[in-house]
Each structure stands twice: as C-alpha cells, then as structure tokens.
Amino acid sequence: MRHYIPKKNNPNYLPHNLYMQMLYLIRDFESKTAKTEAQSSGERLWQWQAVERAAAVLRLEYEKRPNKFGTLKPLHAFFDYAYFSFMFTPNGRDMGAAKRSWNLYRSRFAYLVAEMLGLVTNASESRHDG
C-alpha cells in the first residue's frame, strides 16, 4: 500500500524516511502481544510507550469534537480509511471524511510519535519545500 504524505498545508510533515520509520513502529505496536512485550528490549518498550502517548493525545483531541458514533480509536483510524471516514460522517450526509483528511490524520499521528521520541527537530531542519 502506498503511503501518501501531504506536503502542501501540512504542519505535521515528516520526510518520507522518518514517516516510514514511524509507520513501522506504529504497525509493530498494533501487532504486539504480551509475549513479544516480555521479550522486547527496553528501547522498543520506550518506543511503544511513545505510540501509546500519541494515541492518548489524539483520543483527547477527538473527544472534544461532537461524534455520533462513539469514541475514536486512534490506531484503528490510522490503518483503516473506512473506519476513519465513517467516524467523521456529518449528520444527514452519505459521504464521510476524504482521503486527504485521512492522510493528514496519519501524518499527525506519525509526527506526534516522532516528536515524543525526540526526532522532530532533525526532521524540521531537513524539510524541503520545493
């Protein structure tokens, strides 16, 4: 699956390599089990805690929005466009959130994880707006 990272009007832009590292980290976190957690290194556990904190931040942000379908599950929304779109379907409309909104949400999630790991300062210095 191709991962599009919007550059235009995206305050949470990450370079492709850093975004992909965060994507793999979030994917690993989602698929982890108690068995792998016990065998994981201290650094991996620290990275997974950053993913948990980023998910908690997003959950709090989206709790403030009126939502008729319940509380947003940030990890589920990160990987499933249909779920994300369904959660942001306005009253009286058949269409949900656009793919661009989903891509911006995914960028925000990855940016928060990178920020909590202390990787954002390097990303902002290497940004190319060209």
Side-chain angles (χ1 to χ4, degrees):
M1 179 178 167
R2 187 174 192 293
H3 292 273
Y4 176 71
I5 307 162
K7 288 184 180 180
K8 189 175 183 180
N9 297 327
N10 183 1
N12 302 306
Y13 175 78
L14 290 175
H16 179 75
N17 291 340
L18 183 56
Y19 175 83
M20 293 306 289
Q21 288 176 3
M22 296 303 103
L23 170 72
Y24 297 139
L25 176 62
I26 294 166
R27 184 181 294 161
D28 287 349
F29 174 79
E30 185 192 35
S31 64
K32 75 175 181 150
T33 63
K35 180 181 175 186
T36 58
E37 188 172 332
Q39 297 174 350
S40 297
S41 68
E43 184 170 343
R44 186 51 118 187
L45 293 175
W46 175 69
Q47 292 170 342
W48 285 344
Q49 290 171 351
V51 175
E52 287 176 347
R53 289 192 309 269
V57 166
L58 288 172
R59 194 174 298 111
L60 287 174
E61 276 184 22
Y62 286 99
E63 277 181 1
K64 298 174 185 174
R65 296 178 178 207
N67 195 345
K68 62 182 178 181
F69 299 114
T71 304
L72 178 76
K73 298 174 188 164
L75 283 168
H76 192 180
F78 185 85
F79 289 106
D80 188 3
Y81 168 67
Y83 171 78
F84 179 83
S85 181
F86 175 74
M87 291 301 287
F88 295 102
T89 304
N91 287 334
R93 298 197 55 202
D94 294 335
M95 299 288 288
K99 283 259 186 182
R100 175 163 172 76
S101 299
W102 185 51
N103 287 326
L104 288 170
Y105 170 81
R106 292 164 55 104
S107 291
R108 172 106 172 106
F109 197 129
Y111 184 89
L112 285 173
V113 173
E115 185 178 52
M116 291 180 183
L117 293 173
L119 302 172
V120 169
T121 55
N122 296 336
S124 62
E125 292 170 4
S126 64
R127 181 175 178 169
H128 298 290
D129 291 328

